[in-house]
Amino acid sequence: MKSGSTQFVPTRRMGFCDPLHQMAMWDDFKASNFVDSSLPIILDFEQKHDNQSEETSVGTVGASHGLKKPEKVLRRLAQNREAARKSRLRKKAYVQQLETCKQRLIQLEQEVDQARQQGLYAGGSCDAATKISCRGTMNQNVGTFEAVYNRWLEEQNRHISELRNALHSNIGDAELGVYVDNGLRHYFDLFSMKASAAKVDAFYMMSGLWITLGERFFFWIGGFRPSEILKMLVLHLEPMSDEQHFEIFNLRQSCQQAEDALTKGMEKLQQIVAETLTSGLLGDGNYFHEVSAAMEKLEVLVRFVVQADNLRQGTLQQISRILTTQQAARGLLALGDYTQRLQALSSVWSKRHSDTSSTNIVQV
C-alpha cells in the first residue's frame, strides 16, 4: 500500500472486512432473536408448502389420468413423499441443534460473567499488600476460560471425526450440509467466547497462552490470520472453477487489507501506550499517574480482539458461500486437521526439549 490509510477492495460478496464496522456483529445477531423466532416459522411454512405440493401433484395426476395412475407416477409420488419426510426430519434436527448451541453459548457467557464478577483487577496497580490477591483473582479468571476452551477443543475433535466419517460415507449434500453448518457454528461459538473473555482480560487473550506452542508460532491478534488460512485451504479444495478461484483471490486480498489495517492500529496503540508510560520523569520511582493513563488507553485493546475475530468469522462465512457443500466440508476438515497437526508438533517439540535437557543433566 502506497498511502498511510488503508483502502479496502471488497468483492461483490465481501462486506465484512472493514474492521470498523464489525463490532456489533455478534450482539446484533443475538439481539435479533433469529434462532428463537425465525426458524420455527420457516419450518412451519415449508412443511405446509411440502404438503400442499404433494396434494397438488396428486390432484394433477388424477385429473390427467383418471382413477388409474401409471406405476411410474405412483413411484414418483412415493419418492416425493419420502424426500419431504426426510427433509422435515433434517430441519427438525437442525432446529434442535441450534437450540443446543444456543444453550451452550448462554452457559459459556454465564461462566465468563461469573469470573468477571469475582473482582478482576482493571486499573491502577497492585501494591505489596494486595499483589497476591490480584494474582489469585486473575488466575481464577484464566482458569475459567481455559476450562471452557478445553471443552470446546473436545467437541471440536468430535466434529472433525464426524465430518471425516461423513465424507468417507458418501452421503448426500443435504445431510453433509448439516455437518458443515455444525462445524461453522462451533467456530462462531469460540469467537463469541473469546469476545466475552477479552472483556475480562484482553492481555491474556492477546498472549495466546491458552493454545499450544505450534499454534502460537502463527498467532495474530488472538488467533489465526484469515488470509493465511485461505492460502492453505485452496490447495485442498481442487478442483475449483475459474469463478471460484477469482472470488477466493479477491477474498484473500480483502482479508490482507483488513489485517494490515488492524496491525497498523495495534502498532499505533503500542506507540501511544509507550509514550504515555514515558511521559513522566523516568527513574524517580513515581509512576502511578502514567500507569493509570496507560490503562485508559488500553481499553481499546478489547476492540482489536473482537474485530480480528469478526474478520475470521466473516471469512469462514464467505468461503462457505463460494464453495460447494462437498468443498466446504473438505475445507473444514482440512482446517481442523491442520490445527491438530500444530498441536502434535507442539507435543513432539516439548518432549524433544525435555529429553534433551534430561540427557544433558545425565552427562553432567
Side-chain angles (χ1 to χ4, degrees):
M1 292 180 288
K2 298 181 180 179
S3 62
S5 60
T6 303
Q7 298 294 326
F8 297 99
V9 185
T11 67
R12 57 188 176 89
R13 308 181 70 169
M14 279 289 298
F16 68 91
C17 279
D18 184 355
L20 298 180
H21 297 285
Q22 297 297 317
M23 296 301 301
M25 176 186 293
W26 177 247
D27 289 336
D28 291 343
F29 176 78
K30 291 194 295 183
S32 65
N33 291 323
F34 178 79
V35 175
D36 292 334
S37 59
S38 301
L39 284 173
I41 296 174
I42 294 173
L43 293 179
D44 183 61
F45 170 78
E46 291 186 353
Q47 182 173 353
K48 293 179 180 178
H49 179 72
D50 292 339
N51 294 336
Q52 292 174 358
S53 299
E54 294 177 13
E55 293 173 0
T56 303
S57 299
V58 174
T60 303
V61 173
S64 302
H65 299 279
L67 296 177
K68 184 177 180 182
K69 301 173 184 176
E71 180 181 351
K72 182 178 180 181
V73 174
L74 293 174
R75 185 168 60 253
R76 183 178 301 171
L77 289 174
Q79 292 174 347
N80 290 342
R81 284 192 295 270
E82 180 64 17
R85 185 185 67 82
K86 290 182 178 180
S87 177
R88 288 192 293 270
L89 290 176
R90 284 195 300 269
K91 291 171 185 175
K92 182 178 179 181
Y94 181 73
V95 172
Q96 292 174 344
Q97 290 166 349
L98 279 180
E99 184 63 25
T100 300
C101 291
K102 176 188 172 185
Q103 295 300 326
R104 185 170 69 250
L105 181 57
I106 292 174
Q107 179 185 355
L108 296 179
E109 290 181 339
Q110 288 174 346
E111 291 177 358
V112 174
D113 288 339
Q114 290 174 358
R116 187 186 311 161
Q117 292 170 3
Q118 291 175 356
L120 177 64
Y121 179 75
S125 61
C126 294
D127 56 24
T130 61
K131 186 177 294 184
I132 296 177
S133 175
C134 288
R135 186 184 299 115
T137 303
M138 294 183 70
N139 288 339
Q140 289 176 3
N141 287 277
V142 167
T144 300
F145 173 79
E146 289 183 348
V148 174
Y149 179 71
N150 287 334
R151 287 200 296 270
W152 183 90
L153 274 181
E154 292 175 0
E155 290 195 31
Q156 172 70 355
N157 292 333
R158 179 175 59 81
H159 280 298
I160 294 173
S161 178
E162 291 176 350
L163 188 58
R164 182 181 290 110
N165 293 335
L167 283 170
H168 290 166
S169 61
N170 296 321
I171 62 176
D173 284 351
E175 295 179 64
L176 187 60
V178 175
Y179 290 99
V180 172
D181 292 339
N182 288 341
L184 290 174
R185 282 197 303 274
H186 193 56
Y187 278 106
F188 300 162
D189 287 347
L190 174 63
F191 300 146
S192 178
M193 180 176 68
K194 288 169 59 183
S196 298
K199 297 175 183 178
V200 178
D201 190 349
F203 267 143
Y204 177 74
M205 297 307 300
M206 291 291 295
S207 70
L209 291 175
W210 73 92
I211 58 178
T212 62
L213 295 173
E215 295 171 280
R216 212 179 306 161
F217 184 69
F218 299 95
F219 200 68
W220 174 79
I221 311 184
F224 59 81
R225 281 184 178 268
S227 61
E228 292 301 315
I229 292 299
L230 285 174
K231 180 180 178 181
M232 180 270 296
L233 288 180
V234 167
L235 302 176
H236 302 276
L237 298 177
E238 297 291 355
M240 291 193 301
S241 66
D242 292 340
E243 181 180 0
Q244 286 178 319
H245 276 290
F246 178 75
E247 293 192 13
I248 292 178
F249 173 80
N250 286 340
L251 176 59
R252 189 179 175 213
Q253 290 280 87
S254 298
C255 286
Q256 287 176 330
Q257 291 177 350
E259 291 166 8
D260 290 343
L262 286 172
T263 300
K264 288 183 178 179
M266 280 295 302
E267 292 173 352
K268 183 64 176 177
L269 177 61
Q270 291 171 346
Q271 179 183 351
I272 292 173
V273 172
E275 291 175 352
T276 302
L277 288 173
T278 57
S279 60
L281 181 63
L282 295 177
D284 62 357
N286 183 16
Y287 45 79
F288 178 80
H289 175 73
E290 288 79 9
V291 171
S292 298
M295 285 295 299
E296 294 179 0
K297 304 294 184 183
L298 283 171
E299 292 295 329
V300 74
L301 193 60
V302 177
R303 296 177 56 192
F304 280 95
V305 177
V306 173
Q307 289 176 3
D309 276 342
N310 285 341
L311 178 60
R312 296 180 187 103
Q313 178 167 331
T315 302
L316 290 176
Q317 289 173 327
Q318 289 294 321
I319 192 67
S320 67
R321 295 189 185 107
I322 294 173
L323 302 176
T324 65
T325 303
Q326 285 282 338
Q327 289 172 331
R330 286 192 281 120
L332 278 176
L333 180 60
L335 178 58
D337 192 64
Y338 174 65
T339 303
Q340 289 181 336
R341 294 185 184 193
L342 287 176
Q343 294 167 352
L345 173 64
S346 303
S347 178
V348 173
W349 177 268
S350 299
K351 185 177 183 300
R352 171 183 175 274
H353 181 71
S354 177
D355 293 343
T356 302
S357 300
S358 300
T359 304
N360 291 337
I361 292 174
V362 171
Q363 290 176 349
V364 172

